[in-house]
Amino acid sequence: MTVVAEVVRSGFVESVHHGVVAFTGRAGVGDISSPFFPRSSNKPLQTVGMLRAGLVPREETDLAMISASHDGEPFHVERVRGILSAAGLGLESLGCPAQLPAGEQPRNAWLRDGGSAEPILMNCSGKHAGMLATCVVNGWPLDSYLDPKHPLQVALADAVSELAGEPIVATGVDGCGAPVLAISPAGLARAFLRLVAADPGTPERRVADAMRAHPALVAGTGSPDTVLMAGAPGLLVKSGADGVVAAASPDAGGVVVKISDGSMRARMPVLLAALQRLGVATPVLEEPVLGGGRPVGEVRAVW
């Protein structure tokens, strides 16, 4: 395994993270061909699959919400509610587990108001709303929409495989209960580049354009994905659980980072180093190592 990041505290390296960095059009770092679960980084590809299967969003902005791993802010919740309502569905249709908002501020506000965990607050509820709306358009069963053999999931798997340019080698259950599809880091990088390089008006480009136009819907206010897309025009970014992040720019190509131990703290420093290598200017993301409540070090890319 290749060390891609180290954690420095008070000038001393106390930890290292191994990982993989895949690029399109150039050599990567580590084993970029072995399959892995991209987790929520697959969501934009699945949204493309929904459009190909006939999903008709109320407006293009909904595509950003369907591709999101949101923080549960009020504007996230209302848009998910709107997607379901437009399909003639209620909140009870959601098959994702009940959770509190993922973001600290919306979670605290929700609890102060006496709220409890609900499926619509789960960070994947936008994807589930899009899946259900796609089922309604096609007359597919709603109660089994999360089954990998359901026509919806078959269509989404076909889209992911086609975009990645390789077969899906394993199907698991993601944290939200939906199927998660294993492809390689190289395949995911290819797929993200296809989204941003596609012709305007195609399903691929519609998803990329919606996400880049509404980055706060995709993640949340101040989230790293949001900051990067807002500060680097043309850049598409989508993080996933277990140390995954994928990005693409039409000029620079696609890049995927997977931290082997699943750590989330190392993925962004490594991604920023990769984007810098590609010539993409990005905002600075401060993720300091703290000691006594003040910055005493950093997580830095070393490959």
Side-chain angles (χ1 to χ4, degrees), residues 69-274:
S69 298
H70 64 81
D71 276 353
E73 296 173 76
F75 61 91
H76 294 133
V77 177
E78 287 309 307
R79 186 158 289 274
V80 175
R81 194 186 306 273
I83 294 170
L84 289 170
S85 178
L89 301 173
L91 302 185
E92 70 281 356
S93 299
L94 289 170
C96 51
Q99 289 187 358
L100 291 169
E104 182 178 0
Q105 292 185 358
R107 180 170 61 251
N108 291 341
W110 186 262
L111 291 173
R112 281 196 303 270
D113 291 340
S116 58
E118 297 183 20
I120 196 172
L121 302 175
M122 201 269 169
N123 69 341
C124 299
S125 63
K127 177 181 73 175
H128 283 252
M131 288 179 172
L132 287 163
T134 306
C135 289
V136 169
V137 168
N138 288 280
W140 291 333
L142 299 180
D143 57 354
S144 58
Y145 79 96
L146 296 179
D147 187 328
K149 296 180 181 178
H150 189 283
L152 168 76
Q153 300 301 340
V154 172
L156 301 192
D158 287 345
V160 171
S161 177
E162 191 274 332
L163 289 167
E166 62 186 44
I168 293 165
V169 299
T171 300
V173 181
D174 214 336
C176 66
V180 59
L181 309 169
I183 54 177
S184 71
L188 184 60
R190 283 193 299 269
F192 264 65
L193 179 57
R194 285 193 60 181
L195 265 60
V196 298
D199 291 334
T202 59
E204 296 89 337
R205 183 66 175 272
R206 290 172 65 190
V207 172
D209 285 351
M211 292 174 67
R212 292 180 292 186
H214 305 282
L217 276 179
V218 177
T221 303
S223 296
D225 289 14
T226 301
V227 172
L228 286 178
M229 285 192 282
L235 184 65
L236 178 67
V237 182
K238 183 68 190 74
S239 290
D242 248 40
V244 180
V245 61
S249 163
D251 297 324
V255 58
V256 167
V257 173
K258 163 62 178 174
I259 305 302
S260 298
D261 63 5
S263 171
M264 299 297 279
R265 67 179 177 179
R267 76 196 193 289
M268 281 300 171
V270 176
L271 175 65
L272 292 179

